[in-house]
PDB file of all heavy atoms in Angstrom:
ATOM      1  N   ALA A   7     127.862  -1.702  46.827  1.00  0.00           N
ATOM      2  CA  ALA A   7     128.657  -0.537  47.222  1.00  0.00           C
ATOM      3  C   ALA A   7     128.381   0.638  46.297  1.00  0.00           C
ATOM      4  O   ALA A   7     128.573   0.547  45.093  1.00  0.00           O
ATOM      5  CB  ALA A   7     130.135  -0.890  47.172  1.00  0.00           C
ATOM      6  N   THR A  23     114.848  11.273  72.645  1.00  0.00           N
ATOM      7  CA  THR A  23     114.397  11.787  73.936  1.00  0.00           C
ATOM      8  C   THR A  23     115.059  10.960  75.028  1.00  0.00           C
ATOM      9  O   THR A  23     115.058   9.736  74.965  1.00  0.00           O
ATOM     10  CB  THR A  23     112.864  11.673  74.036  1.00  0.00           C
ATOM     11  OG1 THR A  23     112.297  12.437  72.972  1.00  0.00           O
ATOM     12  CG2 THR A  23     112.342  12.220  75.356  1.00  0.00           C
ATOM     13  N   VAL A  42     126.524  12.050  51.719  1.00  0.00           N
ATOM     14  CA  VAL A  42     126.899  11.504  50.422  1.00  0.00           C
ATOM     15  C   VAL A  42     128.245  10.787  50.543  1.00  0.00           C
ATOM     16  O   VAL A  42     129.133  11.236  51.267  1.00  0.00           O
ATOM     17  CB  VAL A  42     126.966  12.685  49.407  1.00  0.00           C
ATOM     18  CG1 VAL A  42     127.664  12.272  48.134  1.00  0.00           C
ATOM     19  CG2 VAL A  42     125.576  13.226  49.141  1.00  0.00           C
ATOM     20  N   LYS A  57     124.884  17.592  68.991  1.00  0.00           N
ATOM     21  CA  LYS A  57     125.828  17.065  67.994  1.00  0.00           C
ATOM     22  C   LYS A  57     126.363  15.687  68.369  1.00  0.00           C
ATOM     23  O   LYS A  57     126.365  14.770  67.556  1.00  0.00           O
ATOM     24  CB  LYS A  57     127.021  18.028  67.819  1.00  0.00           C
ATOM     25  CG  LYS A  57     126.650  19.449  67.479  1.00  0.00           C
ATOM     26  CD  LYS A  57     127.888  20.339  67.341  1.00  0.00           C
ATOM     27  CE  LYS A  57     128.715  20.493  68.599  1.00  0.00           C
ATOM     28  NZ  LYS A  57     128.070  21.250  69.683  1.00  0.00           N
ATOM     29  N   PHE A 102     145.379   2.047  73.704  1.00  0.00           N
ATOM     30  CA  PHE A 102     145.788   1.083  74.723  1.00  0.00           C
ATOM     31  C   PHE A 102     147.193   1.450  75.182  1.00  0.00           C
ATOM     32  O   PHE A 102     148.133   1.410  74.385  1.00  0.00           O
ATOM     33  CB  PHE A 102     145.774  -0.333  74.155  1.00  0.00           C
ATOM     34  CG  PHE A 102     144.424  -0.747  73.632  1.00  0.00           C
ATOM     35  CD1 PHE A 102     144.211  -0.942  72.274  1.00  0.00           C
ATOM     36  CD2 PHE A 102     143.360  -0.937  74.512  1.00  0.00           C
ATOM     37  CE1 PHE A 102     142.961  -1.313  71.792  1.00  0.00           C
ATOM     38  CE2 PHE A 102     142.109  -1.308  74.026  1.00  0.00           C
ATOM     39  CZ  PHE A 102     141.910  -1.493  72.670  1.00  0.00           C
ATOM     40  N   LEU A 118     138.941  -8.343  63.596  1.00  0.00           N
ATOM     41  CA  LEU A 118     138.206  -8.698  62.373  1.00  0.00           C
ATOM     42  C   LEU A 118     138.819  -9.936  61.704  1.00  0.00           C
ATOM     43  O   LEU A 118     138.401 -10.337  60.626  1.00  0.00           O
ATOM     44  CB  LEU A 118     138.213  -7.513  61.390  1.00  0.00           C
ATOM     45  CG  LEU A 118     137.421  -6.277  61.822  1.00  0.00           C
ATOM     46  CD1 LEU A 118     137.739  -5.080  60.914  1.00  0.00           C
ATOM     47  CD2 LEU A 118     135.915  -6.537  61.803  1.00  0.00           C
ATOM     48  N   LYS A 124     148.256  -9.718  55.233  1.00  0.00           N
ATOM     49  CA  LYS A 124     147.428  -8.600  54.801  1.00  0.00           C
ATOM     50  C   LYS A 124     147.371  -7.544  55.910  1.00  0.00           C
ATOM     51  O   LYS A 124     147.452  -6.338  55.655  1.00  0.00           O
ATOM     52  CB  LYS A 124     146.020  -9.134  54.500  1.00  0.00           C
ATOM     53  CG  LYS A 124     145.264  -8.332  53.475  1.00  0.00           C
ATOM     54  CD  LYS A 124     143.908  -8.970  53.159  1.00  0.00           C
ATOM     55  CE  LYS A 124     142.903  -7.891  52.874  1.00  0.00           C
ATOM     56  NZ  LYS A 124     141.524  -8.257  53.186  1.00  0.00           N
ATOM     57  N   LEU A 133     150.135   3.617  58.739  1.00  0.00           N
ATOM     58  CA  LEU A 133     151.145   4.359  59.512  1.00  0.00           C
ATOM     59  C   LEU A 133     151.875   5.344  58.598  1.00  0.00           C
ATOM     60  O   LEU A 133     152.183   6.464  58.996  1.00  0.00           O
ATOM     61  CB  LEU A 133     152.130   3.393  60.182  1.00  0.00           C
ATOM     62  CG  LEU A 133     151.572   2.653  61.402  1.00  0.00           C
ATOM     63  CD1 LEU A 133     152.576   1.625  61.915  1.00  0.00           C
ATOM     64  CD2 LEU A 133     151.211   3.631  62.529  1.00  0.00           C
ATOM     65  N   GLN A 140     157.984   5.921  61.613  1.00  0.00           N
ATOM     66  CA  GLN A 140     159.197   5.838  62.427  1.00  0.00           C
ATOM     67  C   GLN A 140     158.911   5.679  63.932  1.00  0.00           C
ATOM     68  O   GLN A 140     159.804   5.442  64.708  1.00  0.00           O
ATOM     69  CB  GLN A 140     160.078   7.067  62.169  1.00  0.00           C
ATOM     70  CG  GLN A 140     159.600   8.334  62.827  1.00  0.00           C
ATOM     71  CD  GLN A 140     159.897   9.558  61.980  1.00  0.00           C
ATOM     72  OE1 GLN A 140     159.176   9.905  61.044  1.00  0.00           O
ATOM     73  NE2 GLN A 140     160.990  10.232  62.308  1.00  0.00           N
ATOM     74  N   GLN A 154     149.582  11.119  69.268  1.00  0.00           N
ATOM     75  CA  GLN A 154     148.601  10.147  69.774  1.00  0.00           C
ATOM     76  C   GLN A 154     147.313  10.205  68.952  1.00  0.00           C
ATOM     77  O   GLN A 154     146.698   9.195  68.653  1.00  0.00           O
ATOM     78  CB  GLN A 154     148.288  10.428  71.244  1.00  0.00           C
ATOM     79  CG  GLN A 154     149.431  10.090  72.175  1.00  0.00           C
ATOM     80  CD  GLN A 154     149.106  10.409  73.622  1.00  0.00           C
ATOM     81  OE1 GLN A 154     147.962  10.336  74.038  1.00  0.00           O
ATOM     82  NE2 GLN A 154     150.114  10.775  74.377  1.00  0.00           N
ATOM     83  N   ALA A 178     141.219  19.823  71.708  1.00  0.00           N
ATOM     84  CA  ALA A 178     142.229  19.771  72.772  1.00  0.00           C
ATOM     85  C   ALA A 178     143.579  20.327  72.321  1.00  0.00           C
ATOM     86  O   ALA A 178     144.485  20.467  73.128  1.00  0.00           O
ATOM     87  CB  ALA A 178     142.393  18.330  73.255  1.00  0.00           C
ATOM     88  N   GLN A 188     143.838  20.555  60.765  1.00  0.00           N
ATOM     89  CA  GLN A 188     142.726  20.768  59.827  1.00  0.00           C
ATOM     90  C   GLN A 188     143.145  20.362  58.421  1.00  0.00           C
ATOM     91  O   GLN A 188     142.446  19.626  57.729  1.00  0.00           O
ATOM     92  CB  GLN A 188     142.299  22.243  59.803  1.00  0.00           C
ATOM     93  CG  GLN A 188     141.490  22.668  61.003  1.00  0.00           C
ATOM     94  CD  GLN A 188     141.144  24.154  60.956  1.00  0.00           C
ATOM     95  OE1 GLN A 188     141.300  24.826  59.932  1.00  0.00           O
ATOM     96  NE2 GLN A 188     140.679  24.680  62.063  1.00  0.00           N
ATOM     97  N   LYS A 192     141.892  17.043  56.178  1.00  0.00           N
ATOM     98  CA  LYS A 192     141.433  17.233  54.790  1.00  0.00           C
ATOM     99  C   LYS A 192     142.186  16.280  53.859  1.00  0.00           C
ATOM    100  O   LYS A 192     141.615  15.621  53.009  1.00  0.00           O
ATOM    101  CB  LYS A 192     141.722  18.669  54.329  1.00  0.00           C
ATOM    102  CG  LYS A 192     140.633  19.685  54.471  1.00  0.00           C
ATOM    103  CD  LYS A 192     139.313  19.271  53.942  1.00  0.00           C
ATOM    104  CE  LYS A 192     138.874  19.902  52.651  1.00  0.00           C
ATOM    105  NZ  LYS A 192     137.475  19.503  52.322  1.00  0.00           N
ATOM    106  N   THR A 201     134.243   8.562  53.809  1.00  0.00           N
ATOM    107  CA  THR A 201     133.302   9.607  54.199  1.00  0.00           C
ATOM    108  C   THR A 201     133.557   9.983  55.664  1.00  0.00           C
ATOM    109  O   THR A 201     133.532   9.119  56.529  1.00  0.00           O
ATOM    110  CB  THR A 201     131.860   9.102  54.031  1.00  0.00           C
ATOM    111  OG1 THR A 201     131.740   8.536  52.726  1.00  0.00           O
ATOM    112  CG2 THR A 201     130.856  10.220  54.214  1.00  0.00           C
ATOM    113  N   GLN A 209     132.961  27.529  64.087  1.00  0.00           N
ATOM    114  CA  GLN A 209     132.482  27.778  62.723  1.00  0.00           C
ATOM    115  C   GLN A 209     133.622  27.950  61.725  1.00  0.00           C
ATOM    116  O   GLN A 209     133.508  27.546  60.580  1.00  0.00           O
ATOM    117  CB  GLN A 209     131.509  28.960  62.694  1.00  0.00           C
ATOM    118  CG  GLN A 209     131.966  30.218  63.371  1.00  0.00           C
ATOM    119  CD  GLN A 209     132.498  31.241  62.412  1.00  0.00           C
ATOM    120  OE1 GLN A 209     132.304  31.138  61.217  1.00  0.00           O
ATOM    121  NE2 GLN A 209     133.188  32.239  62.941  1.00  0.00           N
ATOM    122  N   ASP A 223     120.917  23.627  65.887  1.00  0.00           N
ATOM    123  CA  ASP A 223     120.632  24.400  67.102  1.00  0.00           C
ATOM    124  C   ASP A 223     119.404  23.810  67.762  1.00  0.00           C
ATOM    125  O   ASP A 223     118.426  23.493  67.089  1.00  0.00           O
ATOM    126  CB  ASP A 223     120.404  25.886  66.767  1.00  0.00           C
ATOM    127  CG  ASP A 223     120.251  26.723  68.034  1.00  0.00           C
ATOM    128  OD1 ASP A 223     121.034  26.496  68.983  1.00  0.00           O
ATOM    129  OD2 ASP A 223     119.360  27.584  68.084  1.00  0.00           O
ATOM    130  N   LEU A 254     122.837  41.784  62.294  1.00  0.00           N
ATOM    131  CA  LEU A 254     121.417  41.578  62.027  1.00  0.00           C
ATOM    132  C   LEU A 254     120.688  42.871  62.339  1.00  0.00           C
ATOM    133  O   LEU A 254     120.743  43.363  63.467  1.00  0.00           O
ATOM    134  CB  LEU A 254     120.876  40.431  62.886  1.00  0.00           C
ATOM    135  CG  LEU A 254     121.552  39.070  62.648  1.00  0.00           C
ATOM    136  CD1 LEU A 254     121.028  38.022  63.625  1.00  0.00           C
ATOM    137  CD2 LEU A 254     121.352  38.598  61.212  1.00  0.00           C
ATOM    138  N   LEU A 267     117.679  42.109  58.094  1.00  0.00           N
ATOM    139  CA  LEU A 267     118.734  42.325  57.107  1.00  0.00           C
ATOM    140  C   LEU A 267     120.050  41.839  57.709  1.00  0.00           C
ATOM    141  O   LEU A 267     120.433  42.281  58.793  1.00  0.00           O
ATOM    142  CB  LEU A 267     118.836  43.822  56.774  1.00  0.00           C
ATOM    143  CG  LEU A 267     120.023  44.255  55.910  1.00  0.00           C
ATOM    144  CD1 LEU A 267     120.015  43.569  54.555  1.00  0.00           C
ATOM    145  CD2 LEU A 267     120.039  45.777  55.740  1.00  0.00           C
ATOM    146  N   VAL A 286     128.206  56.505  65.234  1.00  0.00           N
ATOM    147  CA  VAL A 286     129.337  56.938  66.049  1.00  0.00           C
ATOM    148  C   VAL A 286     130.159  55.706  66.425  1.00  0.00           C
ATOM    149  O   VAL A 286     129.596  54.705  66.872  1.00  0.00           O
ATOM    150  CB  VAL A 286     128.837  57.641  67.344  1.00  0.00           C
ATOM    151  CG1 VAL A 286     130.009  57.995  68.259  1.00  0.00           C
ATOM    152  CG2 VAL A 286     128.024  58.875  66.998  1.00  0.00           C
ATOM    153  N   GLY A 314     137.677  45.182  58.560  1.00  0.00           N
ATOM    154  CA  GLY A 314     138.417  45.495  57.334  1.00  0.00           C
ATOM    155  C   GLY A 314     139.902  45.222  57.500  1.00  0.00           C
ATOM    156  O   GLY A 314     140.384  45.025  58.626  1.00  0.00           O
ATOM    157  N   GLU A 327     132.336  60.569  64.379  1.00  0.00           N
ATOM    158  CA  GLU A 327     131.056  60.475  63.665  1.00  0.00           C
ATOM    159  C   GLU A 327     131.323  60.014  62.249  1.00  0.00           C
ATOM    160  O   GLU A 327     132.210  60.559  61.582  1.00  0.00           O
ATOM    161  CB  GLU A 327     130.356  61.831  63.665  1.00  0.00           C
ATOM    162  CG  GLU A 327     129.860  62.182  65.057  1.00  0.00           C
ATOM    163  CD  GLU A 327     128.936  63.393  65.063  1.00  0.00           C
ATOM    164  OE1 GLU A 327     128.332  63.709  64.009  1.00  0.00           O
ATOM    165  OE2 GLU A 327     128.840  64.012  66.128  1.00  0.00           O
ATOM    166  N   PHE A 329     129.776  57.878  58.427  1.00  0.00           N
ATOM    167  CA  PHE A 329     128.704  57.316  57.611  1.00  0.00           C
ATOM    168  C   PHE A 329     129.097  55.903  57.227  1.00  0.00           C
ATOM    169  O   PHE A 329     130.239  55.654  56.845  1.00  0.00           O
ATOM    170  CB  PHE A 329     128.490  58.151  56.342  1.00  0.00           C
ATOM    171  CG  PHE A 329     127.850  59.476  56.607  1.00  0.00           C
ATOM    172  CD1 PHE A 329     128.604  60.649  56.542  1.00  0.00           C
ATOM    173  CD2 PHE A 329     126.495  59.549  56.928  1.00  0.00           C
ATOM    174  CE1 PHE A 329     128.009  61.883  56.800  1.00  0.00           C
ATOM    175  CE2 PHE A 329     125.903  60.778  57.181  1.00  0.00           C
ATOM    176  CZ  PHE A 329     126.660  61.946  57.122  1.00  0.00           C
ATOM    177  N   GLU A 337     123.520  42.946  50.545  1.00  0.00           N
ATOM    178  CA  GLU A 337     122.367  42.831  51.459  1.00  0.00           C
ATOM    179  C   GLU A 337     121.791  41.429  51.378  1.00  0.00           C
ATOM    180  O   GLU A 337     121.667  40.869  50.294  1.00  0.00           O
ATOM    181  CB  GLU A 337     121.260  43.815  51.043  1.00  0.00           C
ATOM    182  CG  GLU A 337     121.598  45.247  51.342  1.00  0.00           C
ATOM    183  CD  GLU A 337     120.402  46.180  51.084  1.00  0.00           C
ATOM    184  OE1 GLU A 337     119.309  45.691  50.751  1.00  0.00           O
ATOM    185  OE2 GLU A 337     120.593  47.400  51.217  1.00  0.00           O
TER     186      GLU A 337
END
Side-chain angles (χ1 to χ4, degrees):
T23 300
V42 166
K57 305 179 297 292
F102 301 112
L118 292 168
K124 208 176 146 208
L133 285 175
Q140 76 214 82
Q154 289 179 31
Q188 284 178 13
K192 266 311 254 186
T201 310
Q209 50 100 14
D223 186 43
L254 300 175
L267 171 60
V286 175
E327 290 191 23
F329 288 106
E337 288 187 4

